[in-house]
Amino acid sequence: NAGVTQTPKFQVLKTGQSMTLQCAQDMNHNSMYWYRQDPGMGLRLIYYSASEGTTDKGEVPNGYNVSRLNKREFSLRLESAAPSQTSVYFCASSRTGANTGELFFGEGSRLTVL
Amino acid sequence: QKEVEQDPGPLSVPEGAIVSLNCTYSNSAFQYFMWYRQYSRKGPELLMYTYSSGNKEDGRFTAQVDKSSKYISLFIRDSQPSDSATYLCAMKGSGAGSYQLTFGKGTKLSVIP
């Protein structure tokens, strides 16, 4: 009954360091997403993958890259972390064409960039 | 003007009160309207969804959409301390390519025993 699993849950980086956030879902969903959540800004879409083999930019893609490794896994990479990327990152998944808008979210990865 | 406006609160009510949470939006292409609930240090979870205008009821929760006014509401009857969370409205257009949800900033609700 895992749903969407994100690792790591917490990470502290120094400016300029790189890291990858991992996400895996076990619900056989086609679509996966990466959001960031900041106080006063709400949830903002970074990148999404409508299906295996495709990725598209969301609202705030600058400074990030993604890889849809297979149907289950969608990773988010910060190549050169900046303090502005301090945030809580959420991975989510959904069935293709889920018009109910039901995204299933992970528990989040809290990233601090010093 | 932001596409979706939501009062961040915080909103504090006594147990048993009726709670009204609201969002306004500007994009007339939005067709699907959702409410997500997010407990502290957890990911959001879908609470209610409504297609186009109208009401939808699920237990103590009622979602209303007024597309003519571009206004959506979530009502919680007989509020409980377990309802204490942040409530996020979200919406999207129709069509197979409409993958992106637009979220409000969330309203933090505290229900006091």
Side-chain angles (χ1 to χ4, degrees):
Chain A
N1 200 22
V4 178
T5 303
Q6 294 181 230
T7 56
K9 286 185 168 39
F10 302 93
Q11 184 72 48
V12 178
L13 292 177
K14 294 181 180 178
T15 297
Q17 287 185 319
S18 63
M19 78 158 297
T20 300
L21 299 177
Q22 307 284 357
C23 175
Q25 52 91 9
D26 62 2
M27 295 172 284
N28 201 36
H29 285 166
N30 286 311
S31 302
M32 297 186 73
Y33 313 78
W34 276 106
Y35 284 87
R36 60 178 289 174
Q37 187 173 40
D38 303 289
M41 300 295 291
L43 277 164
R44 292 181 292 170
L45 183 64
I46 304 171
Y47 270 94
Y48 67 99
S49 172
S51 61
E52 187 179 354
T54 69
T55 60
D56 286 285
K57 295 178 180 179
E59 181 184 355
V60 289
N62 291 345
Y64 304 95
N65 286 301
V66 291
S67 295
R68 184 72 183 267
L69 305 170
N70 48 56
K71 190 172 185 178
R72 291 186 63 248
E73 299 173 288
F74 188 40
S75 63
L76 178 72
R77 183 161 178 83
L78 287 69
E79 291 290 352
S80 179
S84 61
Q85 293 178 306
T86 293
S87 188
V88 181
Y89 292 86
F90 287 99
C91 177
S93 70
S94 71
R95 294 182 289 111
T96 299
N99 285 326
T100 59
E102 183 161 23
L103 302 185
F104 292 81
F105 285 86
E107 294 209 335
S109 297
R110 295 179 176 273
L111 175 65
T112 300
V113 183
L114 302 175
Chain B
Q1 181 187 10
K2 297 287 186 184
E3 274 197 302
V4 178
E5 299 277 4
Q6 183 177 10
D7 186 337
L11 181 62
S12 184
V13 301
E15 183 176 355
I18 296 174
V19 176
S20 173
L21 304 168
N22 312 292
C23 288
T24 59
Y25 64 96
S26 59
N27 188 342
S28 56
F30 289 145
Q31 296 284 342
Y32 295 89
F33 304 90
M34 291 131 266
W35 287 94
Y36 280 79
R37 177 175 61 194
Q38 184 176 21
Y39 291 114
S40 181
R41 296 187 173 268
K42 298 291 186 181
E45 57 179 348
L46 182 67
L47 188 61
M48 300 278 287
Y49 93 93
T50 311
Y51 172 67
S52 194
S53 286
N55 294 358
K56 187 170 186 177
E57 187 173 323
D58 184 1
R60 296 183 295 108
F61 299 89
T62 300
Q64 288 186 351
V65 175
D66 181 349
K67 290 190 68 181
S68 62
S69 301
K70 296 188 176 65
Y71 188 86
I72 70 171
S73 301
L74 177 71
F75 297 96
I76 307 173
R77 291 184 299 279
D78 188 24
S79 56
Q80 302 295 309
S82 58
D83 296 327
S84 297
T86 296
Y87 290 81
L88 304 158
C89 64
M91 43 201 81
K92 67 190 278 289
S94 61
S98 297
Y99 291 95
Q100 297 195 39
L101 294 185
T102 301
F103 283 88
K105 294 180 182 179
T107 300
K108 186 172 184 179
L109 171 67
S110 296
V111 180
I112 310 303

